[in-house]
Amino acid sequence: MKLSIERGTLLKALAQAQSVVERRNTIPILANVLIEADGAQASFRATDLDIEVVDRAPAMVERAGATTVSAVMLHEIIRKLPDGSLVNLTEDGAAGRLTIAAGRSVFSLATLPKEDFPVMASSEYATNFTAKAPALRRLFDKAKFAISTEETRYYLNGVYMHVATGEEGQVLRCVATDGHRLARIDAELPAGAEGMPGVIVPRKTVGELRKLLDDDEAQIAVSVSETKVRFATPAITLTSKVIDGTFPDYSRVIPTGNTRRLEVDASEFAKAVDRVATVSSERSRAVKLSLDEDRLILSVNAPDSGAAEEELAVAYSDERLEIGFNAKYLLEIASQVDRENAVFLFNSSGDPTLMREGNDASAVYVVMPMRV
């Protein structure tokens, strides 16, 4: 195998591949990227046995072939080469080496045989549809903060993507929860997605998928089966196993009878919460909201470190209410708001609180209160 490729193109392709590779590996070949050169392009494939990413890039191929080499090391070498340089990759199969030459730099890396590289079994996808990158980006970005990190409740370690019935018919919905907070985000249902099986997309896959969604013009081909999900652009294909489990019935947790309505400027609210939470103890991080006619007092009282209080002008016309929350959860939820105002709907100090952006029902958040 012998090919030449521009540094910037190669670096972009390797960046995605090396981030999929697990740093701590018991199987040496899983630390490698499979480079395949044919025609006028090179493809770079990496896997951790749960996720597989294939990145295709234009290259000048002198001799077709394939080999595998350490993904992290190759990425580091290319990253440190001068911008705009032309990189020549030459494989010596007999010696088991890949030579990387650019300008006056020459590197030689050990390779492993391509036959040992595990390729994810192809599967039949029940549903195939195309979605715009900004729509998918919004769905996953707004939901991912609520993904659980508890390994015991593995079925919450991802985003539940499914077809649901919204206020105006069927929608593509993403839900994530960790038991303390929940995010439910809706988007218009793309054509062809109607019969899609609901799947739980793992946390790591959500992180990798995000890198495909930066281009606002991109169309993402989405394929879903009971066990796998695939997201593809013309240059990159990301295939992932889905979490084998049943996502709980989240609709039971979303309160429908909350009538006490607070409207507040989201960024002012987030900054104020952040300020008063500075003195809260690391363990509880509790912040108290005291609501009265058109005013909100945020307070923290931590016996071991101090106290803080801040008043905000808000729109609130119901009876007095005192309710406590984990400051981190409030901050994360407030930072999801794209519009100016966040609307909180309370019931009592012991019931879950609902938050949405203005009157937009396509993004709904629920957060559990704390005793303060």
Side-chain angles (χ1 to χ4, degrees):
M1 180 185 83
K2 188 173 184 187
L3 70 126
S4 308
I5 185 167
E6 199 270 320
R7 173 199 172 261
T9 312
L10 178 56
L11 187 63
K12 193 161 177 269
L14 286 172
Q16 184 100 29
Q18 66 95 29
S19 69
V20 168
V21 168
E22 283 290 339
R23 292 290 188 271
R24 299 179 298 282
N25 254 321
T26 49
I27 310 169
I29 193 105
L30 290 184
N32 282 14
V33 55
L34 172 63
I35 305 170
E36 295 170 297
D38 193 20
Q41 70 169 11
S43 72
F44 302 86
R45 185 186 300 261
T47 183
D48 67 357
L49 297 181
D50 289 326
I51 304 174
E52 180 186 74
V53 65
V54 184
D55 210 320
R56 292 167 289 279
M60 290 170 281
V61 180
E62 277 184 49
R63 202 166 56 240
T67 188
T68 83
V69 65
S70 166
V72 175
M73 195 172 294
L74 182 59
H75 177 258
E76 279 298 287
I77 289 170
I78 304 304
R79 187 176 65 78
K80 291 171 183 175
L81 288 174
D83 213 1
S85 49
L86 188 69
V87 182
N88 295 297
L89 303 178
T90 314
E91 182 216 3
D92 182 347
R97 293 278 165 188
L98 176 75
T99 306
I100 301 132
R104 295 180 180 181
S105 310
V106 181
F107 302 86
S108 175
L109 297 183
T111 61
L112 286 171
K114 64 178 189 293
E115 292 77 22
D116 296 350
F117 194 85
V119 174
M120 203 176 256
S122 60
S123 61
E124 291 292 312
Y125 292 99
T127 308
N128 296 282
F129 61 91
T130 303
K132 291 187 174 73
L136 283 178
R137 186 170 67 213
R138 176 179 172 272
L139 280 173
F140 284 98
D141 272 6
K142 284 183 172 295
K144 67 184 179 189
F145 76 92
I147 297 175
S148 172
T149 51
E150 271 183 67
E151 296 301 324
T152 48
R153 301 165 78 187
Y154 62 91
Y155 49 84
L156 297 181
N157 293 164
V159 172
Y160 182 42
M161 180 173 77
H162 59 298
V163 177
T165 306
E167 289 183 357
E168 295 171 6
Q170 287 201 311
V171 291
L172 181 63
R173 177 174 288 175
C174 280
V175 179
T177 182
D178 64 357
H180 301 290
R181 60 251 164 98
L182 176 144
R184 188 196 79 191
I185 319 296
D186 293 349
E188 196 180 322
L189 188 69
E194 293 80 8
M196 180 183 96
V199 288
I200 306 171
V201 183
R203 186 196 306 106
K204 184 174 175 181
T205 308
V206 172
E208 293 303 324
L209 168 64
R210 183 65 187 79
K211 297 168 192 166
L212 273 66
L213 306 177
D214 280 331
D215 179 6
D216 283 351
E217 302 301 312
Q219 294 280 351
I220 311 292
V222 185
S223 307
V224 183
S225 74
E226 296 283 349
T227 55
K228 288 203 186 99
V229 60
R230 187 177 70 196
F231 300 91
T233 67
I236 303 173
T237 304
L238 175 70
T239 311
S240 168
K241 291 179 183 172
V242 298
I243 293 174
D244 182 15
T246 308
F247 200 80
D249 177 10
Y250 58 86
S251 58
R252 295 209 317 266
V253 190
I254 299 175
T256 51
N258 288 13
T259 52
R260 299 178 177 184
R261 179 190 160 103
L262 158 71
E263 190 162 341
V264 60
D265 181 303
S267 75
E268 289 300 320
F269 177 73
K271 287 174 190 162
V273 170
D274 198 20
R275 280 192 289 269
V276 296
T278 314
V279 300
S280 68
S281 63
E282 266 310 305
R283 198 172 49 84
S284 69
R285 303 267 302 155
V287 58
K288 184 163 88 173
L289 280 65
S290 307
L291 283 156
D292 214 341
E293 185 83 32
D294 286 345
R295 71 176 202 164
L296 163 66
I297 295 173
L298 296 165
S299 59
V300 167
N301 196 351
D304 46 352
S305 53
E309 192 175 284
E310 182 160 340
E311 189 175 318
L312 286 174
V314 296
Y316 181 78
S317 55
D318 292 284
E319 64 251 46
R320 287 202 59 191
L321 176 69
E322 289 195 347
I323 187 166
F325 293 103
N326 180 316
K328 177 170 167 273
Y329 297 165
L330 274 188
L331 279 173
E332 284 180 335
I333 282 183
S335 66
Q336 301 305 319
V337 179
D338 296 329
R339 303 199 169 118
E340 281 189 8
N341 285 357
V343 173
F344 289 87
L345 294 165
F346 304 98
N347 186 25
S348 75
S349 60
D351 293 318
T353 294
L354 191 80
M355 199 238 19
R356 57 170 197 248
E357 307 178 31
N359 292 319
D360 181 11
S362 71
V364 170
Y365 307 92
V366 178
V367 60
M368 297 298 286
M370 276 177 86
R371 277 198 204 84
V372 283

